């Protein structure tokens, strides 16, 4: 109970931070807007910046060595139960006292993913220009390779085409992008083998830029569409818009129609936001704390949650600790659980 008491006492103290520090306004459980600069500050940042004006009760107590070492060696990220809204400071006036804007998290993450995809595409373009510029001279200097058979070269070209198709499917490449990838030679002679060998190496370097983000988008798409199928929805991705959600629920429509991510149900948004955070917002080897993952989720989705989580942790290399009230989340994996009990009598 002692840790619980410490947390409770801290919560009581931080509730009055905005009354102690002029210009500080609390906008979420652990975030404050500092009006004079328009900055959004975490609890740690507030305590550090205003240490000289805070009462001694706010001063952090000395940590034991083992806890300090643990905190310094493990990156920890908390995914809170309130995860559908983001608080964004209003920066139109640095000294304005206006309430921060409230932005849907699913919209913010859609925009963020579009930016990540655009950045990767720019990186791809930079590498492509560099390789294309030196391609002719590298072909001329390429040594004839007797080890590479015609069949192996065809297999490599087929693999490149399969990779390109996958990147088109997840929205990282356009369908008409780099049509030269579609070369499928039926007959390869010695005069073309060297050029194609250099070409294969170049394309592998170009497409390797997308490897990590493509794997994450592919897994996100697979898990989400497995859930969305129940409500006749489907999610895809693009460099321009991020999340693209379509529905075919209205049978009178000849084609699927696009809906906004904010038009998703709360359960669908919770699932999308949570999975996106795990795949794109958490650095590898982190300890992720998830509060109530079952919020607004269909029972069938809760049953599938641990399996989906295992697929994500294998790809993203994460350790996860969850707090849940749902036996449907646990299923038959009680070996992974620790029950929180009351004080011993």
């Amino acid at each position: 109970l002692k840790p619980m008491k410490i947390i409770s006492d801290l919560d009581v103290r931080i509730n009055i931070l905005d009354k102690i520090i002029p210009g500080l306004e609390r906008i979420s459980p652990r975030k404050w807007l500092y009006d004079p600069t328009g900055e959004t500050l975490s609890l740690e940042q507030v305590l550090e910046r205003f240490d000289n004006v805070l009462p001694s009760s706010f001063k952090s107590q000395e940590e034991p060595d083992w806890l300090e070492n643990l905190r310094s060696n493990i990156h920890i990220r908390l995914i809170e139960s309130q995860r559908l809204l983001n608080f964004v400071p209003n920066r139109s006036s640095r000294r304005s006292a206006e309430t921060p804007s409230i932005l849907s998290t699913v919209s913010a993450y859609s925009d963020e993913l579009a930016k990540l995809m655009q950045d990767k595409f720019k990186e791809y373009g930079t590498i492509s220009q560099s390789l294309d510029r030196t391609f002719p001279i590298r072909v001329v200097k390429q040594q004839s390779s007797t080890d590479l058979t015609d069949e192996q070269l065809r297999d490599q070209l087929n693999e490149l085409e399969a990779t390109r198709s996958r990147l088109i499917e997840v929205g990282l490449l356009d369908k008409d992008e780099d049509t030269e990838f579609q070369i499928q030679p039926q007959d390869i002679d010695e005069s073309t083998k060297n050029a194609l060998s250099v070409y294969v190496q170049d394309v592998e370097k170009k497409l390797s830029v997308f490897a990590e983000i493509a794997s994450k988008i592919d897994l996100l798409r697979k898990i989400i569409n497995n859930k969305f199928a129940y409500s006749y929805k489907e999610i895809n991705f693009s460099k321009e818009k991020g999340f693209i959600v379509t529905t075919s629920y209205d049978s009178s429509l000849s084609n699927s129609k696009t809906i906004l991510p904010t038009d998703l149900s709360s359960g669908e948004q919770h699932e999308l936001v949570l999975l996106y955070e795990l795949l794109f917002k958490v650095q590898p080897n982190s300890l992720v704390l998830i509060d109530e993952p079952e919020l607004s989720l269909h029972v069938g989705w809760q049953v599938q949650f641990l399996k989906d989580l295992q697929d994500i942790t294998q790809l993203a290399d994460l350790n996860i600790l969850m707090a849940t009230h749902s036996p449907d989340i646990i299923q038959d994996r009680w070996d992974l659980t620790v029950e929180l009990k009351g004080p011993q009598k």
Side-chain angles (χ1 to χ4, degrees), residues 289-300:
L289 310 178
I290 306 177
D291 188 18
E292 298 184 275
E294 71 274 12
L295 285 180
S296 298
L297 298 190
H298 186 280
V299 172

Side-chain angles (χ1 to χ4, degrees), residues 170-300:
V170 298
L172 287 164
L173 285 180
D174 300 325
K175 287 185 178 181
D176 58 349
E177 185 70 34
D178 292 324
T179 54
E180 73 268 14
F181 287 5
Q182 298 173 7
I183 297 173
Q184 295 295 327
Q186 299 303 315
D187 297 300
I188 302 174
D189 56 30
E190 289 302 319
S191 64
T192 60
K193 182 183 290 187
N194 284 352
L196 288 173
S197 177
V198 175
Y199 164 80
V200 166
Q201 295 172 18
D202 283 7
V203 175
E204 286 176 344
K205 289 179 182 178
K206 295 177 185 180
L207 298 186
S208 66
V209 170
F210 298 118
E212 181 179 354
I213 191 172
S215 296
K216 291 180 177 181
I217 292 175
D218 198 32
L219 181 56
L220 179 62
R221 181 171 174 266
K222 173 185 173 184
I223 294 175
I224 292 297
N225 280 338
N226 185 44
K227 307 292 193 301
F228 282 13
Y230 291 101
S231 56
Y232 304 97
K233 299 186 184 79
E234 182 179 30
I235 190 168
N236 287 290
F237 308 90
S238 79
K239 301 187 294 293
E240 294 76 25
K241 297 182 179 180
F243 303 153
I244 300 179
V245 182
T246 56
T247 177
S248 55
Y249 180 75
D250 188 347
S251 59
S252 66
L253 297 174
S254 57
N255 296 308
S256 298
K257 63 177 181 178
T258 302
I259 63 174
L260 295 173
T262 49
D263 290 333
L264 294 170
S265 70
S266 61
E268 291 167 338
Q269 290 189 47
H270 266 285
E271 183 83 348
L272 182 53
V273 165
L274 178 55
L275 297 182
Y276 180 89
E277 287 220 16
L278 291 171
L279 285 168
F280 292 96
K281 305 284 286 183
V282 184
Q283 68 184 47
N285 298 315
S286 294
L287 172 62
V288 184
L289 310 178
I290 306 177
D291 188 18
E292 298 184 275
E294 71 274 12
L295 285 180
S296 298
L297 298 190
H298 186 280
V299 172

Side-chain angles (χ1 to χ4, degrees), residues 72-208:
S72 61
N73 292 324
I74 299 178
H75 183 267
I76 299 175
R77 182 179 180 89
L78 170 65
I79 301 179
E80 300 183 61
S81 57
Q82 198 301 92
R83 44 186 171 262
L84 296 190
L85 295 176
N86 272 353
F87 292 88
V88 181
N90 190 325
R91 299 185 182 277
S92 58
S93 173
R94 294 176 66 85
R95 299 191 175 274
S96 170
E98 293 181 29
T99 303
S101 302
I102 300 177
L103 178 65
S104 166
T105 305
V106 73
S107 294
Y109 286 174
S110 179
D111 294 340
E112 181 178 289
L113 181 59
K115 179 66 166 55
L116 289 174
M117 295 171 73
Q118 290 167 18
D119 289 345
K120 282 298 175 185
F121 191 74
K122 290 177 183 176
E123 184 180 347
Y124 162 79
T126 301
I127 293 176
S128 295
Q129 289 178 358
S130 175
L131 291 173
D132 292 348
R133 189 166 52 248
T134 61
F135 179 79
I137 185 128
R138 286 184 290 111
V139 169
V140 172
K141 291 183 176 181
Q142 174 77 352
Q143 296 279 338
S144 178
S145 176
T146 57
D147 296 334
L148 185 65
T149 66
D150 294 358
E151 183 178 358
Q152 288 173 328
L153 192 51
R154 290 193 190 97
D155 288 342
Q156 290 176 349
L157 289 167
N158 288 332
E159 287 176 10
L160 291 177
E161 179 60 22
T163 300
R164 176 181 175 274
S165 297
R166 176 170 170 250
L167 294 174
I168 291 173
E169 191 174 356
V170 298
L172 287 164
L173 285 180
D174 300 325
K175 287 185 178 181
D176 58 349
E177 185 70 34
D178 292 324
T179 54
E180 73 268 14
F181 287 5
Q182 298 173 7
I183 297 173
Q184 295 295 327
Q186 299 303 315
D187 297 300
I188 302 174
D189 56 30
E190 289 302 319
S191 64
T192 60
K193 182 183 290 187
N194 284 352
L196 288 173
S197 177
V198 175
Y199 164 80
V200 166
Q201 295 172 18
D202 283 7
V203 175
E204 286 176 344
K205 289 179 182 178
K206 295 177 185 180
L207 298 186
S208 66

